[in-house]
Structures are given as structure tokens and as C-alpha cells.
Amino acid sequence: MRGGTDAGAEETQMNEFDLVLPSSVDVREVGMRDGLQLEAPVPLEGKLAMLEALVATGVRRIEATSFVSPRAVPALADADQLAAKLQRWPGVHWSALVANPRGAVRAVDCGIAELEYVVSASDGHSRANAGRSTAEAVAAVGEIAGLAHGAGGSLEVIIATAWDCPFDGRTPVARTVDVARAAVTAGADQLCLGDTIGTTTPLRVVTLVDAVRRACPGVAVGVHFHDTRGTGQANALAAVQAGVTQLDASVGGLGGCPFAPGASGNIATEELVYMLEESGVRTGLDLDALLAAARVTEQAVGHELPSSLYRAGGRSVPRSADAR
């Protein structure tokens, strides 16, 4: 029986399990769009209070709203009015989601030229979400890219149901790759892979990210995870380990898709920041300010937020002995 530990062997064993992580990542806050689209309409002043609190976190990219049919998504019917207020915060990179060229024209006319256009990899979700097939949705990429580029902006194509569809089941990797390749060929500047109903897992994340990168070399690929089945943060960590540095998250874990049955909230921004910063990955976001923004958001939507970290109160703070 050995009476001690071989320090060299122990160090080697620890090094074998080191996480390979980037030094920093870029987090996009999507609570103002994805987070609110399933909520009862929040008054404009409530949204501006949320924005004020979010900007105070240090976040550099915010998805401000969506220029879609007010009948389809009444919670975002004030997109034009909200866009008119964004000049209050000149240091933020604002973007907006559009569903078709008409929405792109509205966004550009309102001064937002950084556009996101959703293309569902599955026909079932595409028809439910946009009233057209995947091929028809892809066919509009070129026109929307032209509108964004003509206004001095860029186009990011978000591929919804990149892993699974609530209507068609599992999305073949090849199908998502084909959509990604076609979008880039038509003029998309970057891509984002969306786990719309929160079903994917880390190995599937890495597999698809790698396949899309191989098909679209040199194009930035971000990720957008929902935490419906509790795997959102694990998926985010897997993506970051695979070299992804652009991630979407929503304050308080709000979110969901009105046209995807069973879809629930996004990964919570404060939980993502906590996990990454505690792992040595810089996000540029202040955790305490994020928790403050979550409180403002909770007041705005009028119900408890799903974020576990928010409910826990943030980082663990040791209690003094006399307080036990």
C-alpha cells in the first residue's frame, strides 16, 4: 500500500481534464425580443426601463425587437416606437429580427440595419412560423441581405429548429447544413443555430456546429439555446468548448416561440455569465447588474422569472457564524 500521492501523476491527471475554453465570448441579450414575444404586451415605458437596466450590465449586443405582424406577435407591436428610442444608448450594437422583406424595410426605415432573419430548417415549423416552406424562406435571403447591406448593415440568418422540430421530429444534420450553405451563398453575413424547442444535447451541438463550419468556412456561427429540458447551459458550454464565441441569452430565462408547441425560455443571461466568468471566460457583463436587470424585468412582466441563479440571489455568500 502506498503511503503518499505521486504529485506528478496527480498533476498530469488534472491536466488531462482541463477545459479548453476561449479567453472571451460575445453574449447577445435577446430578452427584449425572444424573452417578451410570449408575454402579455409590456408598455413601452416598461420596456425602456428594461433596456436601461440591461445596458447598465455592459452588454454590447442587444436584440431590441422584431418587425413582424402585430397580429401574430402583439407583444412586439410597438417595434417602431421602441426603435425610435434606441439613440439614448449610442454604445450598443442594436439588431432586430425580421420575418420577410417587408419587415426588413420597416427595420431599416426605423434606423436598424443589423438584421436577423429566421429560416426554419424544417418545413413543419417553417409553415407554422412563417406560412411558407423552408425553400421559400431561403429564397428571400438575397433580398433581405440586399436591404441590410444597402443601409450599411449586415444580415444574420438564424436557423430555427436546427436540431429538432415539434412537427417533423429530428432535423437531419445534412438538412441544416444545406440551409446554412444556401443562406451564405445568397448573402448572409453570419449564421446562428437555434435549438427552438430545447431538445438538443452537447454531442449533437458539437456535431452540427462542426458540420456547418465545414460547409461555410470563414463564416461566424453563433448559437441560440432554450432550456426547456434543462440542457441549455450544458449545450452552451459544449459550444464554447467547440470554439463558438457568439451566444444568445435572455435576462431571467424568459422566452419561447409562439409557433413551436412546448418551447419555453432561453438560457438565462445571468446563469450563462456566472458559468463562464467562474470558468475564466470573460463576457464583459456585470453579474450584479444582470441580477438588477432581472428584477426590473420581473416587475415589467408581472410574474416570477425561471432563472435558478436569480432565485438563488446570485453568487453564494458565506454566512457569519452568529447568523447561523
Side-chain angles (χ1 to χ4, degrees), residues 27-173:
V27 177
R28 174 168 58 193
E29 173 58 55
V30 299
M32 297 300 302
R33 194 278 302 176
D34 200 340
L36 293 181
Q37 65 181 2
L38 283 180
E39 299 290 331
V42 173
L44 182 59
E45 287 306 312
K47 291 183 178 181
L48 295 177
M50 286 176 60
L51 280 174
E52 187 74 44
L54 288 170
V55 172
T57 68
V59 67
R60 296 174 294 275
R61 293 193 300 147
I62 298 179
E63 183 185 53
T65 188
S66 179
F67 289 87
V68 295
S69 167
R71 293 186 302 278
V73 188
L76 303 178
D78 61 355
D80 302 73
Q81 297 96 305
L82 182 70
K85 303 292 185 180
L86 299 181
Q87 70 272 15
R88 293 186 186 181
W89 304 283
V92 177
H93 179 96
W94 302 104
S95 64
L97 184 141
V98 302
N100 50 45
R102 293 189 305 277
V105 170
R106 284 180 59 201
V108 167
D109 286 347
C110 287
I112 302 180
E114 305 297 333
L115 304 183
E116 303 152 17
Y117 173 52
V118 174
V119 175
S120 300
S122 62
D123 279 322
H125 184 260
S126 186
R127 294 191 186 283
N129 187 56
R132 56 184 180 270
S133 68
T134 298
E136 290 169 327
V138 169
V141 170
E143 183 177 357
I144 296 172
L147 289 165
H149 297 157
S154 64
L155 175 64
E156 174 180 337
V157 168
I158 300 176
I159 305 178
T161 59
W163 284 275
D164 294 292
C165 172
F167 308 105
D168 299 348
R170 185 165 291 207
T171 306
V173 169

Side-chain angles (χ1 to χ4, degrees), residues 99-307:
N100 50 45
R102 293 189 305 277
V105 170
R106 284 180 59 201
V108 167
D109 286 347
C110 287
I112 302 180
E114 305 297 333
L115 304 183
E116 303 152 17
Y117 173 52
V118 174
V119 175
S120 300
S122 62
D123 279 322
H125 184 260
S126 186
R127 294 191 186 283
N129 187 56
R132 56 184 180 270
S133 68
T134 298
E136 290 169 327
V138 169
V141 170
E143 183 177 357
I144 296 172
L147 289 165
H149 297 157
S154 64
L155 175 64
E156 174 180 337
V157 168
I158 300 176
I159 305 178
T161 59
W163 284 275
D164 294 292
C165 172
F167 308 105
D168 299 348
R170 185 165 291 207
T171 306
V173 169
R175 183 174 176 91
T176 300
V177 168
D178 285 346
V179 171
R181 186 186 292 111
V184 171
T185 300
D189 300 290
Q190 62 186 72
L191 301 166
C192 182
L193 303 176
D195 182 24
T196 307
I197 55 174
T199 53
T200 195
T201 51
L203 181 58
R204 295 182 68 200
V205 168
V206 174
T207 299
L208 183 60
V209 166
D210 179 66
V212 170
R213 280 179 170 161
R214 289 176 183 274
C216 307
V219 177
V221 179
V223 288
H224 179 109
F225 295 123
H226 287 246
D227 201 30
T228 313
R229 289 162 178 81
T231 58
Q233 294 292 344
N235 292 333
L237 180 59
V240 170
Q241 284 186 268
V244 173
T245 58
Q246 296 188 17
L247 300 97
D248 287 356
S250 174
V251 61
L254 284 178
C257 176
F259 307 105
S264 61
N266 296 265
I267 57 173
T269 310
E270 61 275 11
E271 293 182 348
L272 178 65
V273 167
Y274 175 79
M275 177 181 71
L276 293 177
E277 291 282 352
E278 290 291 317
S279 301
V281 180
R282 296 190 304 275
T283 65
L285 277 68
D286 181 90
L287 185 59
D288 291 334
L290 278 168
L291 294 171
R295 286 192 291 274
V296 173
T297 299
E298 189 171 63
Q299 293 169 359
V301 299
H303 62 77
E304 292 185 354
L305 302 177
S307 166

